[in-house]
Amino acid sequence: MQPTQQSPPAEADTTVAQSMAQSALRQAAQFKGDGRLDDAEACLLRAAIWMPDNWRTLRTLGHLRFERRHFAAATAPLGAAVALAPDEIEPRRLYANALHMAYRGDEADAQLRELARRHPSDAESVHNLGLYLNRSGRLPDAEACFRRAMRLKPDWPAPHRALGHVFLRAGRPDKASEYLRRAYRMTHGEPPDSAPPILRDATLAEGIEKDGLAVTSVAMPYGGETAQLVRLPRVVVERSSAVPVTPSGRFFSSTLDWRIYPERFDFLWSTATQRAIADKLTRPDDFAYGLVVSGHGNNYGHWLLDALPVLLALKAFPPGEVPALIVDGLPPYRADSLAAFLACHGLPDVPIAATNQPYFSVRDAFVVSDVSRAVQVASIAALRPNVEPRRRLFVGRRDASHRKLVNEDAVFAALEPLGFERADPNRLSFADQISMFAQARVVVGVQGAALANCMFCSPGTPLVIAYPDRVMPYYKDLAIHIPLRMTPVAGTIHDNRPGILPDHCNFTVSPDAVRAAALQALG
């Protein structure tokens, strides 16, 4: 079935218009069910022409565009739906979300405030306003919204979780623990105020006083900066996140890089986690003395930038007291990069302990925090060899599970005549990746972990980066600190998988736009 292109007569009979619109809506539903989303959108546009004053049709069109991650395009029909039905909750809520995702924050704020004003007893409207206020850093106002949403809907866990995140941002880990734990238990059907938890977030000051932590400032070799070396007398560590928990149940989010994405750590409030840690504490320790290094989910870029630089703190240990490195796995790129980093910075050879246990215990543990981004980048860039930059690299993501460039072959076809070669760092050794990017005169690539290798490029190297939704802060940091001459090229999202973040969506980008940016970079 193909959508037919029709326009209504200038004075279309109302009955005919409604009939044609209903037919188009039925076609749209069928096309959507078949996964033919372009056709579904065309039918919804036709229905909107036949019934321009029907807010439900406009809402449906906007919702489809929102689901397709076409946020800017979704704002027009949703805004029109709101104008036609200002007291309806759903279209205004969708409109505010689309505005936020389209980076029109002030307008999203206005819509959320209007929604809460018109519907002061609707818990979700008040909660959504709180989410925006929290993202904007207006923590007291956000707290007030979440508490109000709790009163309106006492059995709903979302505002409890959100209030926990507010307290986390405000540096109140004790209160954050209370609300995050309560939200988890409400979500999983446990009494929200049942027995005291094993786990709770705490300040380092509390850990020093009650758990015997010791915190030492360590001089970093770049820019006269310092980091913190934290010694914990005994801990149980969750492997994937590298969260160390003391026997008292305290952990210390201020030593971890996780407050930006606190929802990733909801497992800390689960009964299963509490039981696993309690069980570990009854058994002999797995390791006697070690520096816990997070593997960052086996992400190559985060391993380079966030994990390896903590090893600079090894210089603080006297000879004979250097701890083993405890990591959650040792694939070849980690083993090779560890050896290269230690040698480059004159750090001592240390034993490396890799573990695949979900939880492991350390009798005398260390973690390192507060290594600045400037130090991180400089310490990795120090591995760069002195070679002539002459190669033109195109770095794609054909084998990735997300953020694929759907028309990658077409983009490369536009670049190949300019002398670009296709680079696939995943198939190279760590030494070969360093060498390849050190030789780069210009890099064109898809936003992803492989572009972390740009730390091995010469300062001033042009980087043309294609992205689906926004340039992530990680790559902006590289551009600032190496530095790189970065040119962003925005793409169009083509991804209908439910729940996937816009940053992770598959997308297309104009080959002509990428080629033009590459030509400009080449001068």
Side-chain angles (χ1 to χ4, degrees):
M1 183 187 301
Q2 295 292 332
T4 57
Q5 299 298 319
Q6 299 182 41
S7 297
E11 299 179 359
D13 178 84
T14 302
T15 303
V16 173
Q18 289 178 344
S19 176
M20 296 299 291
Q22 290 300 323
S23 175
L25 289 171
R26 286 193 295 272
Q27 281 186 310
Q30 182 173 339
F31 284 136
K32 185 179 180 184
D34 293 339
R36 297 168 58 182
L37 300 184
D38 287 338
D39 290 339
E41 185 170 333
C43 288
L44 288 171
L45 281 167
R46 193 167 73 248
I49 291 172
W50 283 105
M51 299 176 67
D53 295 330
N54 188 304
W55 68 266
R56 289 182 174 84
T57 299
L58 292 165
R59 183 269 323 270
T60 304
L61 173 59
H63 194 191
L64 177 64
R65 288 178 173 175
F66 189 94
E67 287 180 327
R68 301 184 72 186
R69 312 299 200 274
H70 299 169
F71 302 118
T75 59
L78 290 172
V82 167
L84 290 168
D87 287 326
E88 291 291 334
I89 292 176
E90 187 187 8
R92 194 181 295 272
R93 184 180 293 154
L94 279 170
Y95 184 38
N97 288 341
L99 288 168
H100 169 68
M101 298 305 293
Y103 301 106
R104 293 164 60 182
D106 290 344
E107 294 171 79
D109 182 14
Q111 292 301 322
L112 289 168
R113 288 184 182 280
E114 181 65 12
L115 191 61
R117 186 188 71 80
R118 288 176 179 266
H119 303 281
S121 61
D122 180 65
E124 190 168 345
S125 297
V126 176
H127 175 261
N128 285 350
L129 176 58
L131 291 175
Y132 181 78
L133 293 169
N134 186 30
R135 286 191 294 264
S136 304
R138 287 173 275 180
L139 304 187
D141 293 339
E143 179 183 349
C145 284
F146 295 137
R147 290 193 183 280
R148 184 171 154 201
M150 290 178 197
R151 291 193 296 271
L152 292 169
K153 196 173 180 180
D155 59 347
W156 188 29
H160 294 265
R161 182 180 297 107
L163 186 54
H165 296 169
V166 168
F167 282 123
L168 201 59
R169 293 190 66 183
R172 293 287 309 279
D174 53 338
K175 297 296 289 183
S177 295
E178 175 186 341
Y179 285 97
L180 291 170
R181 179 177 71 252
R182 185 177 299 170
Y184 185 93
R185 293 185 173 190
M186 292 171 73
T187 301
H188 293 82
E190 301 177 14
D193 295 306
S194 56
I198 290 177
L199 305 187
R200 53 196 176 279
D201 199 353
T203 62
L204 275 177
E206 187 178 359
I208 292 169
E209 178 187 352
K210 298 181 178 179
D211 294 290
L213 272 63
V215 181
T216 305
S217 290
V218 179
M220 294 285 105
Y222 300 96
E225 299 190 30
T226 61
Q228 288 194 115
L229 179 65
V230 183
R231 186 171 191 169
L232 304 102
R234 190 189 184 205
V235 291
V236 175
V237 180
E238 194 279 329
R239 173 176 174 263
S240 63
S241 63
V243 175
V245 182
T246 66
S248 68
R250 296 184 186 90
F251 63 93
F252 310 94
S253 64
S254 60
T255 68
L256 306 165
D257 297 322
W258 66 290
R259 281 182 285 179
I260 298 174
Y261 304 107
E263 64 277 0
R264 294 183 181 178
F265 295 83
D266 278 352
F267 71 89
L268 286 167
W269 317 114
S270 73
T271 301
T273 296
Q274 295 176 18
R275 287 173 178 165
I277 290 175
D279 179 66
K280 268 292 178 187
L281 289 170
T282 66
R283 300 173 184 271
D285 291 318
D286 299 298
F287 302 99
Y289 185 67
L291 174 64
V292 179
V293 181
S294 172
H296 292 274
N298 203 28
N299 180 285
Y300 175 81
H302 285 296
W303 169 261
L304 288 186
L305 196 58
D306 298 316
L308 283 180
V310 307
L311 304 185
L312 295 170
L314 290 174
K315 289 189 175 182
F317 291 89
E321 296 182 22
V322 178
L325 304 181
I326 306 174
V327 296
D328 61 334
L330 199 63
Y333 79 84
R334 287 192 185 177
D336 294 345
S337 60
L338 276 169
F341 190 89
L342 293 171
C344 174
H345 292 283
L347 297 168
D349 252 347
V350 292
I352 300 170
T355 179
N356 60 5
Q357 297 182 75
Y359 299 88
F360 59 88
S361 56
V362 188
R363 187 171 68 243
D364 195 358
F366 297 86
V367 296
V368 179
S369 68
D370 296 340
V371 181
S372 74
R373 198 56 116 194
V375 169
Q376 290 174 328
V377 172
S379 66
I380 299 299
L383 277 65
R384 178 196 308 127
N386 185 17
V387 294
E388 179 187 358
R390 54 184 172 76
R391 299 171 73 172
R392 304 177 182 191
L393 305 181
F394 172 69
V395 185
R397 283 177 62 86
R398 285 187 295 183
D399 298 329
S401 61
H402 62 275
R403 206 185 306 117
K404 290 184 179 181
L405 183 59
V406 177
N407 63 333
E408 184 173 310
D409 289 339
V411 171
F412 179 65
L415 295 172
E416 193 172 19
L418 303 180
F420 279 83
E421 59 180 293
R422 203 165 206 155
D424 191 351
N426 291 334
R427 302 182 189 279
L428 300 176
S429 69
F430 180 67
D432 287 342
Q433 290 183 66
I434 293 177
S435 176
M436 170 181 279
F437 280 80
Q439 296 176 56
R441 179 185 168 193
V442 60
V443 178
V444 176
V446 182
Q447 181 165 262
L451 290 186
N453 285 305
C454 288
M455 284 186 281
F456 307 124
C457 293
S458 298
T461 299
L463 168 63
V464 178
I465 184 168
Y467 64 96
D469 179 64
R470 61 173 180 141
V471 178
M472 294 179 177
Y474 181 103
Y475 303 98
K476 292 180 180 179
D477 289 346
L478 298 189
I480 291 168
H481 293 295
I482 293 173
L484 302 170
R485 289 163 42 209
M486 187 169 72
T487 302
V489 180
T492 301
I493 290 174
H494 289 273
D495 204 323
N496 302 308
R497 290 173 290 174
I500 188 168
L501 293 170
D503 288 341
H504 291 173
C505 285
N506 299 335
F507 69 108
T508 61
V509 71
S510 164
D512 291 339
V514 175
R515 185 177 186 276
L519 281 170
Q520 185 177 15
L522 288 166

